[in-house]
Amino acid sequence: MSLLTIRNLTVTYGTGEHAVRAVDGVDLDVSAGEVVGLAGESGCGKSTLALAVARLLPRGASATADELSFDGTDLRAVDDAGLRALRWRRLSLVFQGAMNGFNPVMTIGDQIGEAIRAHEPGADRKALRGRVDELLVQVGIAAGRAADYPHQLSGGMKQRAMIAMALACSPDLVIADEPTTALDVMTQAQILDLIRRLADELGLAMLIISHDLTVLAELCDQVAVMYAGRIVERGGAGAILTTEAHPAHPYTRRLLDCYPRLDAGQASISGIPGSPPDLTHPPAGCRFHDRCPESLPRCASDDPAIRPVPGESGHVAACHLVVGEVAR
Ligand code: SF4
């Protein structure tokens, strides 16, 4: 059953001729206990989608959707009190670069405790300390480090502490935006292991946002690939990102080629020539057509609908090379 349901979500920044449609008609589901990855280049709309779900869009942005619901609650209609009750307790976020968001003059333990106290005002002080220690141990930090200030922790430990904070009120869904950016490769691997272990042990649903497909390949059950504000491919991570993978969309294939895959014997990597389109004036036809090496004459004028990839249940792609019935 879908915990988070998104149908035809559109987010626009600004108005008039300078309006940018950063997310354009996106459909996405995250089921209970499922880890879903959202991939794509910088500026494709991934973080905007997360902010729209959490109702944290900045002033000047407007969102519309046919459906935007969390466990049956219509997120479009929730008032401020409802949002406060929902955030952290049911749905929490680990923001991009969040490890630098700790208050430098408060201990890590006090900051995690504060997040709990905000939702459980009557929480007993001793019980609160015990809970903070438990959370730190859960993410691989010794309980005694609760008394440390942020500058006393390494980057990896700060990120672990941020994850502990996101788990503080036992949410059902965690949205993590680029959770391993700015970490070295070894620490990145440890954080990925931690996230996957926590998702399995706690039965958490997660929406992991990353430009790095290798990160998503390690973590996710399902993957959606975004390009220029739209989802262009969706399906099981095994069908899209593994060694035997056969992504149906040329953009996903190019994105995969940007990363070395030693297990697949890929000795070199290649970038994607060109830049994503200007979303104040998106091009006609397929938005990837001027960068696509497989482009057909019709691609410059005919916008491809998202269609099921033949023979693969739950795998869909928006490309004229995919032949099948139009799906949503
Ligand atoms: Fe390439 Fe055409 Fe498919 Fe777009 S629709 S990805 S331009 S082949």
Side-chain angles (χ1 to χ4, degrees), residues 249-251 286 288-289 292 294-296 299 304 318-321:
H249 200 283
Y251 176 63
C286 172
F288 188 54
H289 79 261
C292 179
E294 296 163 61
S295 179
L296 309 167
C299 297
C319 173
H320 292 308
L321 297 173

Side-chain angles (χ1 to χ4, degrees), residues 158-238:
K158 273 191 270 195
Q159 191 62 321
R160 285 171 189 267
M162 258 304 158
I163 293 169
M165 193 168 332
L167 299 178
C169 298
S170 308
D172 303 291
L173 172 68
V174 175
I175 300 177
D177 191 356
E178 303 281 4
T180 58
T181 295
L183 297 176
D184 64 71
V185 179
M186 292 299 290
T187 311
Q188 183 173 323
Q190 290 166 7
I191 297 292
L192 295 181
D193 283 348
L194 171 69
I195 291 173
R196 188 67 241 190
R197 177 173 64 73
L198 290 172
D200 290 341
E201 285 178 7
L202 304 176
L204 274 177
M206 300 189 91
L207 178 61
I208 311 273
I209 295 170
S210 181
H211 63 279
D212 187 340
L213 290 181
T214 58
V215 165
L216 300 183
E218 289 204 31
L219 284 179
C220 299
D221 305 309
Q222 296 281 322
V223 174
V225 179
M226 278 187 89
Y227 184 76
R230 293 178 172 172
I231 287 181
V232 294
E233 184 160 13
R234 235 183 12 232

Side-chain angles (χ1 to χ4, degrees), residues 42-286:
S42 297
C44 70
K46 310 181 297 291
S47 299
T48 295
L49 182 144
L51 292 176
V53 169
R55 293 270 310 273
L56 288 170
L57 285 169
R59 197 169 294 176
S62 60
T64 60
D66 291 346
E67 183 176 357
L68 183 61
S69 63
F70 176 80
D71 201 16
T73 301
D74 186 348
L75 293 172
R76 298 167 303 177
V78 180
D79 61 12
D80 288 350
L83 281 172
R84 275 196 295 278
L86 203 66
R87 291 185 193 136
W88 294 93
R89 271 181 187 276
R90 306 284 326 273
L91 185 166
S92 68
L93 290 106
V94 178
F95 289 109
Q96 200 171 140
M99 62 183 181
N100 298 319
F102 279 116
N103 183 335
V105 296
M106 279 177 78
T107 66
I108 294 292
D110 282 348
Q111 293 185 62
I112 297 174
E114 198 173 58
I116 300 173
R117 234 186 343 253
H119 293 276
E120 298 169 27
D124 170 72
R125 210 174 169 75
K126 198 171 160 206
L128 199 63
R129 284 217 173 119
R131 174 90 182 113
V132 169
D133 286 348
E134 249 175 55
L135 283 162
L136 288 177
V137 170
Q138 203 165 36
V139 298
I141 299 178
R145 304 297 297 263
D148 283 2
Y149 288 89
H151 74 271
Q152 294 174 286
L153 303 184
S154 66
M157 285 174 84
K158 273 191 270 195
Q159 191 62 321
R160 285 171 189 267
M162 258 304 158
I163 293 169
M165 193 168 332
L167 299 178
C169 298
S170 308
D172 303 291
L173 172 68
V174 175
I175 300 177
D177 191 356
E178 303 281 4
T180 58
T181 295
L183 297 176
D184 64 71
V185 179
M186 292 299 290
T187 311
Q188 183 173 323
Q190 290 166 7
I191 297 292
L192 295 181
D193 283 348
L194 171 69
I195 291 173
R196 188 67 241 190
R197 177 173 64 73
L198 290 172
D200 290 341
E201 285 178 7
L202 304 176
L204 274 177
M206 300 189 91
L207 178 61
I208 311 273
I209 295 170
S210 181
H211 63 279
D212 187 340
L213 290 181
T214 58
V215 165
L216 300 183
E218 289 204 31
L219 284 179
C220 299
D221 305 309
Q222 296 281 322
V223 174
V225 179
M226 278 187 89
Y227 184 76
R230 293 178 172 172
I231 287 181
V232 294
E233 184 160 13
R234 235 183 12 232
I240 298 179
L241 302 180
T242 59
T243 309
E244 306 78 30
H246 41 284
H249 200 283
Y251 176 63
T252 312
R253 289 199 280 273
R254 297 288 94 71
L255 212 51
L256 273 172
D257 289 344
C258 294
Y259 297 93
R261 290 193 294 160
L262 299 180
D263 57 339
Q266 182 188 318
S268 61
I269 58 174
S270 55
I272 307 176
S275 309
D278 173 4
L279 291 181
T280 52
H281 300 97
C286 172

